[in-house]
Amino acid sequence: IGDGGDIIIKAGSTLATDKAYITAVTFGQGNGGNIIIKANTVSLTNGTYVDSFTGGIGNAGNIEINSKDNFVITGSRISSSAIFKDSGDAGDISIVSDGSIFIHGNTRIGNSNFFSGNAGNIDLNAKDSISIVNSRIFSNSFDTNKSGSGFAGTITIKAGNSFALSSESEITSATLSEAQESESGSRWGTILIDAGSVSLSDRAILSTTAYGVVAGGDIGIQTQTLSLTDGSRITAESVGSGKAGNIIVNAAKSVTLSGFAPLEFEREWPFFGGMSSGLFANTETLNSGAGGNIEVNTGNLQITNGAVISARTQSSDPGGNISVNVDNLNITEGGQIIATALSSGNAGNITVIAKD
């Protein structure tokens, strides 16, 4: 019935693991213990697992990692989850570095709740830079109860210098819930990024998805420069009856959307176009809710080489609006800003204010 104990690991210089397992588990009424790791440099490699999970009504423990220099994880996993019916909430994951954070080599960092509770929040915070290569960050909740619970967590990323997502990496937040939001206007499953520069390249994906009646999470970008290339996308979509989330970009200097990636079968036969880079707020089914809005505020906006800003509805509800506020706007080589309706719902409005 009592809570589980914490696992606390402290190292004066470097903590390095190879195929290690660090796990905190609860199957009863009490909450799971937390996992706390502190060192000057933390390196988790080659199949290391840091997990907290609950199989009972108690909540899973939180995972906290603090490094004074750099944090490096390669080919490993950090997760918090609730795995059975009537389990509690998944725990939060926090990684804080006074240097940089490197997440590479098919690493998975995420929290999931597969039944009645909420997924936890994820917080990545580095004073210098954050680099994510061929890896995935996620917060998912798949609850079909109508109990007022079952929502994805918030993913927050903050880097003093640069944030880079590349090589088919994904940051996703998804909710499948039949529960109404507990507070009017509250937003679950939000993704927030604050960095000096933000770049997505080589099919990188940043997305929020609503599968049930709950609204999808918003995506907010606060930066000096934003770059999306080679088929990379920022997407807020609704597959259920809930409204899709909004995309809000505030980039003081510039936003560059460029290029596309061929579909998998087109790598040898590139005849069918491909997947465009861009910003997308979509509803994906006839029964989806209203589309989300896209707002871009920047000094210079360049959309080129097939890149797109798109708000699309395939349902009877209206699509979202697109609002662009810039000093300079440059659309070339097949770049587009489009709002479309593929069913009975009305397309959203497009408003462009360009000073020059």
Side-chain angles (χ1 to χ4, degrees), residues 18-181:
D18 183 31
K19 296 183 179 179
Y21 287 80
I22 304 170
T23 305
V25 183
T26 179
F27 285 101
Q29 298 180 19
N31 295 325
N34 300 315
I35 299 174
I36 301 171
I37 300 173
K38 295 183 178 181
N40 286 346
T41 298
V42 178
S43 177
L44 310 177
T45 63
N46 196 20
T48 291
Y49 285 67
V50 180
D51 290 333
S52 72
F53 65 87
T54 175
I57 63 175
N59 298 326
N62 299 322
I63 299 173
E64 302 175 19
I65 300 176
N66 290 272
S67 63
K68 291 184 178 180
D69 293 325
N70 294 328
F71 170 80
V72 180
I73 181 169
T74 303
S76 298
R77 186 181 78 183
I78 300 172
S79 67
S80 180
S81 58
I83 58 176
F84 295 128
K85 186 177 181 180
D86 298 324
S87 293
D89 295 338
D92 296 335
I93 298 173
S94 173
I95 300 173
V96 178
S97 173
D98 289 342
S100 295
I101 294 174
F102 300 96
I103 302 169
H104 294 176
N106 200 29
T107 288
R108 300 289 186 266
I109 298 177
N111 41 38
S112 300
N113 197 309
F114 295 98
F115 289 97
S116 58
N118 298 316
N121 301 315
I122 298 174
D123 183 14
L124 306 181
N125 192 323
K127 286 188 177 180
D128 191 2
S129 300
I130 297 176
S131 171
I132 303 175
V133 180
N134 187 30
S135 296
R136 187 172 176 226
I137 313 293
F138 60 90
S139 180
N140 299 327
S141 178
F142 302 103
D143 173 31
T144 57
N145 293 325
K146 299 182 179 180
S147 58
S149 63
F151 301 101
T154 295
I155 299 174
T156 304
I157 295 174
K158 187 172 184 179
N161 186 9
S162 63
F163 169 71
L165 188 72
S166 64
S167 300
E168 302 185 24
S169 293
E170 296 182 1
I171 298 177
T172 62
S173 177
T175 297
L176 169 58
S177 178
E178 297 304 320
Q180 297 290 340
E181 292 170 301

Side-chain angles (χ1 to χ4, degrees), residues 237 280-284 291-292 310-314 318-320 338-342:
E237 64 182 7
F280 300 85
N282 300 330
T283 64
E284 298 293 347
S310 171
R312 182 188 67 201
T313 177
Q314 298 190 61
I338 55 176
T340 55
L342 303 181

Side-chain angles (χ1 to χ4, degrees), residues 107-338:
T107 288
R108 300 289 186 266
I109 298 177
N111 41 38
S112 300
N113 197 309
F114 295 98
F115 289 97
S116 58
N118 298 316
N121 301 315
I122 298 174
D123 183 14
L124 306 181
N125 192 323
K127 286 188 177 180
D128 191 2
S129 300
I130 297 176
S131 171
I132 303 175
V133 180
N134 187 30
S135 296
R136 187 172 176 226
I137 313 293
F138 60 90
S139 180
N140 299 327
S141 178
F142 302 103
D143 173 31
T144 57
N145 293 325
K146 299 182 179 180
S147 58
S149 63
F151 301 101
T154 295
I155 299 174
T156 304
I157 295 174
K158 187 172 184 179
N161 186 9
S162 63
F163 169 71
L165 188 72
S166 64
S167 300
E168 302 185 24
S169 293
E170 296 182 1
I171 298 177
T172 62
S173 177
T175 297
L176 169 58
S177 178
E178 297 304 320
Q180 297 290 340
E181 292 170 301
S182 58
E183 298 179 9
S184 177
S186 64
R187 305 292 287 183
W188 298 81
T190 297
I191 299 176
L192 303 172
I193 297 178
D194 186 345
S197 66
V198 176
S199 67
L200 280 68
S201 62
D202 190 16
R203 299 176 181 234
I205 301 292
L206 195 67
S207 72
T208 62
T209 306
Y211 289 98
V213 302
V214 68
D218 292 340
I219 299 175
I221 309 289
Q222 189 76 35
T223 186
Q224 293 292 308
T225 63
L226 171 65
S227 172
L228 275 68
T229 61
D230 308 320
S232 296
R233 294 183 160 208
I234 297 177
T235 303
E237 64 182 7
S238 172
V239 181
S241 58
K243 180 183 181 295
N246 303 310
I247 300 172
I248 303 169
V249 175
N250 293 302
K253 292 182 179 179
S254 66
V255 172
T256 301
L257 311 177
S258 178
F260 61 92
L263 302 175
E264 287 295 330
F265 64 88
E266 293 183 291
R267 291 184 184 271
E268 296 184 12
W269 304 284
F271 303 121
F272 298 96
M275 184 171 67
S276 294
S277 302
L279 310 177
F280 300 85
N282 300 330
T283 64
E284 298 293 347
T285 69
L286 291 174
N287 297 319
S288 294
N293 299 319
I294 300 174
E295 179 182 333
V296 178
N297 304 295
T298 189
N300 298 282
L301 173 59
Q302 182 175 14
I303 309 172
T304 186
N305 193 20
V308 176
I309 298 178
S310 171
R312 182 188 67 201
T313 177
Q314 298 190 61
S315 75
S316 59
D317 284 337
N321 300 316
I322 299 174
S323 174
V324 175
N325 297 279
V326 298
D327 293 331
N328 301 290
L329 175 62
N330 187 18
I331 303 177
T332 61
E333 299 179 18
Q336 299 181 77
I337 300 176
I338 55 176

